[in-house]
Amino acid sequence: MERSHPVKSAVDKIIDTVAGGQPAEIPGVPNSEPPSLEEPTEPREPLPPKPDQSGPDTYSPTGQPTDTPRGKMAQGGPYLTTAQGLRVRDTDHSLKAGPRGPVLLQDHHLREKIMHFDHERIPERVVHARGAGAHGVFRGYGAASNVTRAAFLGKDVETPVFVRFSTVIGSRGSADTVRDTRGFATKFYTSEGVFDLVGNNIPVFFIQDAIKFPDVIHAAKWHPDREIPQAQTAHDTFWDFAGLHTEATHHTLWNMSGRGIPRSYRMMEGFGVHTFRLVNEEGATTLAKFHWKPKLGVHSLVWEEAQLLGGVDPDFHRRDLFDAIESGAYPQWELGLQLFPDTPDQMFEGIDLLDSTKIVPEELAPVQPVGLLTLNANTSNFFAETEQVAFHVGHLVPGIDVTDDPLLAGRLFSYLDTQITRLAGPNFPQIPINRPHAPVNDMQRDGFHQTAVHRGVAPYRPNSLDGGCPFTAGADQGAFVEVPVEVSGRKVREAPASYDDHFSQARLFWLSMSPVEREHIVAAYTFELGKCYEQAVKERYLRVLANIDPVLCRQVAEGLGLPAPDASQPLADPSPSPALSQVGQTWPTDGRIIGIIAGDDDAEAVGAVRQAVLDAGMVPLIIAPTGGMLGGTLPVQRTFTTARSVEFDALLVASAPAPGKDAYGARDAKAGGGADSPIDPRVLLLITEAYRHAKPIGGWGAASQVLSQAGIPAQAPGVVVADDGPSALDGTLRFLAAHRVWDRFPAAAALT
Ligand code: HEM
C-alpha cells in the first residue's frame, strides 16, 4: 500500500504556493511504502518517492524544458545492473578461482563496483560545509516594480527556488546546533536566468574587505595542529583574531546573541548583507538591502539546549526542516527591501552602505515586502541536490546589479573559483540542480563532465558559419547591462575613514536587546572566552567589550575572574532599534513539537489532545513507558528511554507514570538515583529540563502530582494545570506563541 501525503497531493505541493498545510501525521517515515517483515523477493520497479519529495525540474543542460518526468532522472527497472545496464546475477561474491580464491582480475563487476565506491566523496565546501536544502516557490507581489525591472519580482510571477541553509565553520558531518552564523542561500530559477541571493541569518559580516576572508575563517576553524575544536568559536585562535581585529566586533556580538543558535531554519531571518543597486525600466537606480522575514518569527534555542542537541540529535535543524515540509507545515518568508537613494557617496543617514559590518536600522529605512517564499518540497537525493548546488553572488538578473562593496567584490571572484575544485571542472552549471530555466547559448565548450551535446561549428563570435548565432542582446531583449557608474581613484591598499568605526553599531545592538537577551549574550561571551587557554586573549577581548558597554564588560569579566577594563574611546549614544529584539510579540506555532507524557491508563483523553494538536497545525509525539500502541490504538513515538526534552517545544502531562521496568541507573543513566520515586525519574528529568529551558508545560489529571514531585510550583509562570486536556493545550499554546516563558527566570537587576 502506498502511503499518501497527510495534507497535500504532489500536485498541490507544486501549485499551492501560499496557504501552506497543516501537519496531519507524524513525519519521519523513511519511504513511500512500509517495509515487509520478510525480505522482498518478487522483482518490482523501485518505490515512488515520498509525496513530500521533489527533485529539480527537468531542464536540459542548456536550460530548455524537457518533457521528462522527474522520476526518470532516478534509476529504474526491477533488476540490479552494472553502470552499463547489464543485469547482474550475484553481487555478494567476487569471482574467484575456487571458493577460497584467489580473486580473479577479470572480475569486471567487482572492479566497477569498488571503483565507484572509492570515488563517492567529493570535497566539502571550504566554508558552509554543513547544510540542508529544500525546494519551493517564490511569488512576487509586484511591489518592487518601480525600483527594479527584475521579472521575478513582478506581480504574481511564480518562480521555482531551491534554498540551502548552513552553518559556516563546521565540517559536513558536524552538529546543526553549534553557535555559528547560518547561511541562507536562495537560487531563483527565473525566466531571465538564475538569480542567487547568497545571504546569512546575520545582517553584518566579520570583515569589510574580502582579502581577510581566509584570515577570519582560519581563525574560526579548528586549530591546525590538532584539528579541534569542531564547528565552534570557543577557542583561542578565534578570540585571538577577534580581539586584534575589532571590525569583527559587531558580527561577533550577533553570534553571541540568540541569533547564533536558532531554534529552526524556519525561524531565522535572512539578509543579503551587502547593498545592491536596483535598476528600473527607465534606468533609474536605487540602492537596496535584501531581507527575508520568517512568518514564524525569529526564535532561538537556549545554550544548554543547543549543547545537549549536539549529542542527542546532531541533525536537529535538518530534521526540523524536512519534518515540517513533510507534515505540510510549509515554511514561509517574505522577501523585503530596504531602499536608499543612489547618492554619489552611497551613504544613508551617516551609515556607509558599502561597509558590510553596518546595518541600517529598520526604524530608519523600513523593510518593504516584495514577495513570498514558500518551501514546499524536500529533496529526493541529498547529494544530487543539496551537495551539488552551486550558488554565486554573481548570478544576477537584469534589474539587480552589484555595488563597490569590497567584500562583495571578493565574493564575486570566490564562488566560481572554489566550485571548480569542489565540483571537479567548469561544467557544474549543467548539474540538474544548477540548470537555469532559461535557454543557454554561451559558446562554452568541452571540459570535464560535459553533458550538453552541442551542434554547429562556430562557437565563437563573430561568425558566419553558424549563421552568426548566438547574437548579443540589448536591454530591450532582456540583456543584463551593467549600470554605467563613474569609477576613478588612486591605486591604494586603504579603506575609507568611515570603516574605522567598529563599536557604535555593536553598542546599538546591545542597547536594543531585552534584559533576558542581554543575559544570554553575557553568558555566551563568558562561556566562549572561558574556554580559551591564554589569559592575554581573554584580557584583550575584555578591552573590546568595554568599548561596547561597561555593564556587558563587567559581567563577563566577573565570570572570567578578571578585572574589567575601561573603554579606550568614548561610547556612542545610538537610539536602540526595537526591530533587533526577538522577544515581546506572539507568532504562529505551526509545526512545533508537542510532547505528550502518557501512561497506559488514559488513552482516550490523550487521543483527543493528540488530535487537537494536529488540528492546530503542530506535531504531537506521544511519550510512554514503552513503545507500541497506547491503549491499543495510539502509536507511541517516544519512550522514557528515547525521549529527551530538547526535541519538544512544549510538554503536556497526561499521566503520573510509575517507574518503568527499565528505570534504574544500570540500564538507563537518566533514571539513576531515582529508584524510590513514585514517578518514573526520566519523566521528572524531562519536565525539569523543559522547565529550565523556559518551555511551556501543561497538564491535567495527575499532572499536579508529577509537577510537585519534580519540584515545580503549579503556579509557576508558563505552567498550566487544567481540568481537561483541551484546556491544558489551549493554555500551553498561549505561552508557546511567545516561544518561551521568559518570566520564569527574571534577568539580573544589572541588565534590566
Ligand atoms: C556577506 C558576506 C558573506 C555571506 C553572506 C556569505 C554567505 C555564504 C553562504 C550562504 C554560503 C553557502 C552556500 C551554499 O549553501 O552552498 C557560502 C559559501 C561560500 N562562501 Fe560565502 N559568504 C560571505 C562572504 C564570503 C567571502 C568574503 C568569501 C570569500 C572571499 C566567501 C567565500 C565562500 C566560499 C568559498 C563558499 C563555498 C561555496 C561552495 O563551495 O559552493 N564568502 N557563503
Side-chain angles (χ1 to χ4, degrees):
M1 183 197 69
E2 254 188 46
R3 285 176 166 133
S4 65
H5 191 262
V7 176
K8 300 278 167 193
S9 73
V11 174
D12 283 339
K13 194 175 59 209
I14 305 304
I15 61 173
D16 178 350
T17 61
V18 187
Q22 298 301 305
E25 208 174 72
I26 306 305
V29 56
N31 211 341
S32 51
E33 216 176 87
S36 55
L37 186 57
E38 307 305 333
E39 183 177 351
T41 51
E42 194 60 33
R44 55 172 292 180
E45 287 289 327
L47 302 186
K50 295 198 305 162
D52 61 286
Q53 294 176 335
S54 177
D57 286 323
T58 50
Y59 278 71
S60 77
T62 53
Q64 297 168 84
T66 67
D67 292 332
T68 317
R70 288 175 204 209
K72 293 294 178 200
M73 288 208 277
Q75 296 190 328
Y79 293 105
L80 179 72
T81 73
T82 65
Q84 307 306 314
L86 177 72
R87 287 185 181 171
V88 172
R89 192 184 65 84
D90 181 338
T91 191
D92 298 332
H93 303 92
S94 43
L95 194 65
K96 302 191 205 84
R100 296 173 73 83
V103 172
L104 300 178
L105 190 59
Q106 64 184 241
D107 189 347
H108 56 92
H109 176 45
L110 167 73
R111 164 90 177 98
E112 183 197 74
K113 187 173 175 182
I114 300 295
M115 175 281 291
H116 197 279
F117 172 76
D118 288 345
H119 298 276
E120 272 179 11
R121 295 286 168 270
I122 64 171
E124 65 176 33
R125 289 169 177 83
V126 62
V127 284
H128 295 264
R130 171 80 182 170
H135 298 272
V137 180
F138 177 81
R139 185 171 57 82
Y141 293 162
S145 302
N146 55 340
V147 288
T148 172
R149 56 185 292 208
F152 78 99
L153 291 172
K155 186 163 173 48
D156 293 332
V157 175
E158 292 198 347
T159 304
V161 298
F162 185 77
V163 175
R164 182 175 181 270
F165 303 104
S166 48
T167 52
V168 179
I169 306 174
S171 301
R172 200 183 144 191
S174 57
D176 281 343
T177 58
V178 295
R179 184 179 292 284
D180 195 358
T181 307
R182 299 300 185 286
F184 189 145
T186 309
K187 190 176 282 296
F188 299 80
Y189 304 90
T190 87
S191 58
E192 301 178 298
V194 165
F195 171 63
D196 286 346
L197 184 54
V198 197
N200 281 340
N201 76 328
I202 291 180
V204 288
F205 205 61
F206 286 108
I207 51 174
Q208 296 162 324
D209 185 323
I211 199 167
K212 296 186 207 171
F213 194 64
D215 300 294
V216 63
I217 297 302
H218 288 169
K221 288 227 180 205
W222 47 74
H223 291 214
D225 51 351
R226 304 177 177 202
E227 212 182 76
I228 53 173
Q230 175 61 248
Q232 54 182 293
T233 50
H235 56 102
D236 286 86
T237 57
F238 177 75
W239 292 100
D240 179 38
F241 174 82
L244 293 169
H245 175 270
T246 50
E247 76 193 43
T249 306
H250 191 194
H251 185 118
T252 305
L253 176 53
W254 279 73
N255 278 132
M256 295 303 118
S257 78
R259 307 283 179 143
I261 42 173
R263 155 66 181 82
S264 159
Y265 292 139
R266 301 179 289 135
M267 299 168 204
M268 299 189 321
E269 283 178 301
F271 303 92
V273 180
H274 312 280
T275 301
F276 290 81
R277 179 172 276 110
L278 305 183
V279 195
N280 69 11
E281 288 292 355
E282 287 75 45
T285 60
T286 309
L287 299 179
K289 284 182 180 286
F290 289 96
H291 293 242
W292 289 115
K293 294 278 185 192
K295 289 277 187 186
L296 299 180
V298 187
H299 304 299
S300 298
L301 299 168
V302 295
W303 180 227
E304 190 193 38
E305 235 184 335
Q307 289 178 294
L308 287 171
L309 280 165
V312 172
D313 187 5
D315 307 303
F316 183 72
H317 285 149
R318 282 186 175 182
R319 189 187 311 284
D320 171 271
L321 178 69
F322 301 151
D323 283 359
I325 293 173
E326 186 182 340
S327 63
Y330 299 152
Q332 292 188 311
W333 290 259
E334 266 189 330
L335 182 66
L337 293 176
Q338 277 185 305
L339 299 172
F340 320 102
D342 190 358
T343 54
D345 63 358
Q346 297 168 82
M347 305 278 286
F348 181 78
E349 302 271 341
I351 299 165
D352 192 331
L353 296 174
L354 300 191
D355 177 354
S356 280
T357 65
K358 305 287 190 318
I359 59 162
V360 177
E362 291 183 27
E363 292 76 10
L364 296 181
V367 177
Q368 304 178 33
V370 298
L372 182 70
L373 165 68
T374 305
L375 295 183
N376 57 15
N378 283 317
T379 52
S380 56
N381 185 272
F382 188 95
F383 181 86
E385 300 166 67
T386 311
E387 199 59 18
Q388 294 202 107
V389 69
F391 296 97
H392 174 33
V393 278
H395 291 162
L396 299 162
V397 287
I400 304 176
D401 203 348
V402 296
T403 57
D404 291 338
D405 176 343
L407 188 68
L408 181 55
R411 297 182 73 196
L412 285 164
F413 177 80
S414 179
Y415 288 77
L416 288 186
D417 185 53
T418 195
Q419 284 151 5
I420 292 173
T421 298
R422 186 166 74 78
L423 298 166
N427 284 316
F428 51 83
Q430 296 183 8
I431 295 172
I433 191 69
N434 294 325
R435 290 177 185 172
H437 294 192
V440 175
N441 199 349
D442 60 5
M443 295 194 296
Q444 321 283 7
R445 291 292 182 269
D446 308 343
F448 283 116
H449 318 302
Q450 176 63 251
T451 56
V453 183
H454 297 301
R455 296 205 191 132
V457 294
Y460 54 81
R461 263 190 53 80
N463 77 69
S464 66
L465 292 180
D466 278 353
C469 188
F471 298 87
T472 55
D476 290 349
Q477 290 96 34
F480 180 90
V481 183
E482 285 79 7
V483 179
V485 282
E486 293 285 341
V487 286
S488 65
R490 286 183 311 120
K491 193 159 54 169
V492 291
R493 289 188 187 274
E494 286 173 13
S498 62
Y499 282 35
D500 290 343
D501 168 17
H502 299 167
F503 300 113
S504 68
Q505 287 216 338
R507 182 157 174 74
L508 162 68
F509 185 81
W510 169 257
L511 294 177
S512 305
M513 293 293 102
S514 65
V516 68
E517 291 170 303
R518 291 183 190 177
E519 293 286 2
H520 291 164
I521 291 170
V522 168
Y525 277 118
T526 313
F527 178 92
E528 296 253 329
L529 290 166
K531 297 279 273 187
C532 292
Y533 187 95
E534 296 293 354
Q535 188 91 341
V537 168
K538 303 181 205 192
E539 285 184 26
R540 195 193 301 136
Y541 208 80
L542 286 174
R543 293 184 196 161
V544 175
L545 296 184
N547 284 330
I548 303 176
D549 188 83
V551 174
L552 168 66
C553 180
R554 195 173 59 246
Q555 299 276 330
V556 176
E558 271 174 21
L560 297 176
L562 291 170
D566 291 329
S568 62
Q569 50 182 267
L571 295 183
D573 187 21
S575 304
S577 166
L580 297 177
S581 172
Q582 294 177 231
V583 306
Q585 297 177 48
T586 56
W587 296 271
T589 56
D590 305 23
R592 295 292 190 134
I593 312 295
I594 311 295
I596 307 176
I597 299 170
D600 266 333
D601 46 344
D602 39 24
E604 200 177 318
V606 169
V609 167
R610 177 186 187 276
Q611 189 56 48
V613 172
L614 285 170
D615 294 345
M618 298 178 294
V619 177
L621 299 182
I622 294 181
I623 310 165
T626 56
M629 303 295 272
L630 189 75
T633 55
L634 293 175
V636 172
Q637 282 81 35
R638 298 288 185 277
T639 65
F640 297 162
T641 303
T642 61
R644 196 74 202 238
S645 74
V646 284
E647 68 176 310
F648 308 106
D649 290 296
L651 288 177
L652 291 176
V653 184
S655 177
K661 280 195 236 148
D662 55 352
Y664 53 96
R667 181 75 66 85
D668 186 349
K670 294 198 296 300
D676 300 333
S677 162
I679 294 168
D680 194 302
R682 293 163 300 179
V683 169
L684 301 178
L685 175 67
L686 204 59
I687 292 173
T688 47
E689 237 172 40
Y691 184 81
R692 198 162 72 230
H693 299 153
K695 292 176 177 171
I697 301 171
W700 69 97
S704 320
Q705 187 195 342
V706 180
L707 290 167
S708 123
Q709 191 70 29
I712 296 173
Q715 309 307 324
V719 175
V720 180
V721 181
D723 292 339
D724 53 34
S727 317
L729 176 62
D730 275 359
T732 308
L733 292 191
R734 274 203 298 283
F735 288 102
L736 189 56
H739 181 56
R740 306 251 176 197
V741 189
W742 297 124
D743 297 349
R744 198 174 281 162
F745 304 110
L751 295 177
T752 54

